[in-house]
Amino acid sequence: MQVTQSTAPLVQAQRNYFQSGVTHAYGFRQTQLKALGAAIQEQQGAIQQALAQDLGKSVFEAVLTETTNSISEINHTLKHLKAWMAPQRVRTSVVQFPAQGEIWSEPLGVVLNISPWNYPFQLAMGPLIGAIAAGNCTILKPSELAPHTSGVIAELIAKTFPPEYITVVEGDKTITQDLLKNRFDHIFFTGSTAIGRLIMAAAAPHLTPVTLELGGKSPCIVGPDAPVELTARRIAWGKFINGGQTCIAPDYVLVPPALKAPLLGQLRHWIGEFYGKNPADSPDYGRIINEHHWQRLRDLVDPAQVVIGGDGDIEARYFAPTVLDGVGWDDPVMEAEIFGPILPILTYGEMGEAIAAINARPKPLALYLFTNDPNLQNQVLSQTSSGGVCINDTIMQLGAPSMPFGGVGESGMGAYHGKFSFDTFSHRKSVLKRKFWLDLDLRYPPYHDKLKWLKWLP
Ligand code: NAD
């Protein structure tokens, strides 16, 4: 929906609908999740076409990284929703005796979900699935930088749900800023750290809780014992999928000096295997989202450092898989998240040196480590902090709904996927059910000499 006036009536309509209580029931949530799953299945073709137009995304990547995981998330949620919704019995304290303790998960209300352009379908659907499961109404604001996908999402949602329950508001920051004037019960934002700060500031006057799924420079450490061929294959896949525009893509590689040359050789080999001699001709290699981002990436490349790739075509939004050598920590490419197909390779001496370099920078969304040495694994796990870690691979940490996905520090706050999504969009309410059949005098005034009994409390 293209909204030109104030968004306040939309939010009010959703608030009224939420207050009717209809979204709370298990049966309702189940029906809506099934309807969303069916709509995604039905619209597969249109979704794939939009992703190809926006990001040059191959059908394989569209299915693997956008629609299949949305459908899997729905199926996983449907399987467990009843159990998640059930009040959870907990032990009570002796001072509460006789009593029964429970934790109820209740819906929050009206949720705002702002999503980015890089996985524009999946990153709009993931939080929406959690919000539906938890019994909320949702306003969805997809990224205007992926306009075809934004349009398909708007159509799919309008066909499937009434706007007072779930609606899409399309547009840029002007409409988002208008949305943010409203009071929401939760804001779920996926995007850059810079805009994340603005979202949190806009939420503060309403005391609206936020989940911020942000980005950052995710390091990739290659250990001294790493099998170089397979390591390079997995790094090249994780870096160049979606044209490098992945929030958890390895941003840069840290490698011992002795492994640098073999690693560069294997990266060259695998880039060739994946995308052929000229990746511009590969149907499997994506495009940069727009000319502005293409130019931003171009400005990060020092031609003297290019060892693989480096070429491109701004009009076609093609940017070759590019690897840089001889990069220093103070170079522009090391300042902020690259978010494109440029991979700087840096060297380190001892593992402590690599850890110190990582810890001197903001906490990343992902950290990758290639080693089979349990001591090195433990050292890195215990001495660094990141949203998530994947050992001996890239990106794959995303695949399991049993694991929370989210950042820490500047890479975000809060988490989702599976039960973690349900919890994000629910309030956990403590419920104590007392009995009438016992009422000890101890806590009631006058206290006289009752103080001595308190020492017996646990
Ligand atoms: P972005 O922050 O520019 O935009 C995200 C959303 O915010 C869009 O819907 C946009 O319209 C809106 N927006 C932009 N400016 C705004 C403003 N001034 N006020 C209010 N809303 C505004 O991010 P992007 O360029 O779409 O995405 C790239 C970033 O997102 C990268 O940093 C990437 O790492 C991060 N990201 C994180 C995750 C994750 O799950 N943690 C996933 C994908 C992308």
Side-chain angles (χ1 to χ4, degrees), residues 114-119 123 141-145 171-173 176-177 180 189-193 195-196 198-199 213-216 246-248 293 337 339 365 405 411 416:
I114 304 173
S115 55
W117 51 261
N118 60 330
Y119 289 86
L123 294 172
K141 211 301 285 175
S143 173
E144 73 283 11
L145 299 191
D172 61 10
K173 65 177 178 192
T176 317
Q177 282 158 356
L180 288 167
F189 172 80
T190 308
S192 60
T193 301
I195 306 299
L198 301 180
I199 301 296
E213 296 283 342
L214 310 177
T246 303
C247 56
I248 49 169
H293 277 282
E337 181 185 5
F339 215 55
L365 186 57
F405 179 74
S411 57
Y416 73 132

Side-chain angles (χ1 to χ4, degrees), residues 132-357:
I132 295 174
N136 300 282
C137 296
T138 302
I139 291 183
L140 187 53
K141 211 301 285 175
S143 173
E144 73 283 11
L145 299 191
H148 298 95
T149 314
S150 174
V152 168
I153 293 172
E155 216 180 300
L156 183 153
I157 294 294
K159 272 191 195 156
T160 315
F161 304 110
E164 61 273 24
Y165 173 45
I166 300 171
T167 193
V168 174
V169 172
E170 290 188 87
D172 61 10
K173 65 177 178 192
T174 315
I175 198 73
T176 317
Q177 282 158 356
D178 188 71
L179 276 168
L180 288 167
K181 287 184 198 147
N182 298 284
R183 183 177 71 77
F184 287 95
D185 299 291
H186 194 92
I187 299 176
F188 191 105
F189 172 80
T190 308
S192 60
T193 301
I195 306 299
R197 288 185 212 281
L198 301 180
I199 301 296
M200 199 166 171
H206 301 291
L207 285 182
T208 299
V210 291
T211 302
L212 300 178
E213 296 283 342
L214 310 177
K217 287 184 89 63
S218 298
C220 177
I221 311 173
V222 177
D225 62 317
V228 175
E229 187 180 350
L230 187 51
T231 297
R233 189 184 201 197
R234 291 178 175 180
I235 293 175
W237 176 75
K239 179 67 188 188
F240 299 114
I241 192 171
N242 203 34
Q245 302 160 115
T246 303
C247 56
I248 49 169
D251 188 272
Y252 60 96
V253 171
L254 293 169
V255 63
L259 286 191
K260 190 174 80 172
L263 184 76
L264 285 172
Q266 284 297 322
L267 285 170
R268 187 187 303 281
H269 168 76
W270 286 115
I271 291 168
E273 285 288 311
F274 295 168
Y275 306 116
K277 261 207 167 93
N278 185 9
D281 298 333
S282 166
D284 300 325
Y285 187 63
R287 293 294 178 266
I288 303 306
I289 187 71
N290 59 24
E291 293 190 359
H292 163 75
H293 277 282
W294 192 97
Q295 194 55 54
R296 176 184 66 77
L297 292 166
R298 174 89 270 168
D299 294 344
L300 294 179
V301 175
D302 174 351
Q305 295 173 339
V306 173
V307 286
I308 300 171
D311 54 315
D313 174 354
I314 188 165
E315 272 169 32
R317 295 184 281 124
Y318 165 70
F319 201 108
T322 297
V323 179
L324 307 180
D325 186 17
V327 175
W329 286 103
D330 296 328
D331 289 351
V333 75
M334 293 307 294
E335 261 167 35
E337 181 185 5
I338 296 170
F339 215 55
I342 305 170
L343 184 63
I345 311 288
L346 292 91
T347 54
Y348 70 93
E350 295 299 316
M351 191 55 80
E353 194 189 312
I355 290 171

Side-chain angles (χ1 to χ4, degrees), residues 94 96-100 433-440:
V94 69
Q96 296 165 327
F97 181 83
Q100 181 176 315
K433 295 179 177 170
R434 291 267 286 143
K435 309 287 177 197
F436 286 121
W437 55 264
L438 181 70
D439 199 39
L440 298 175

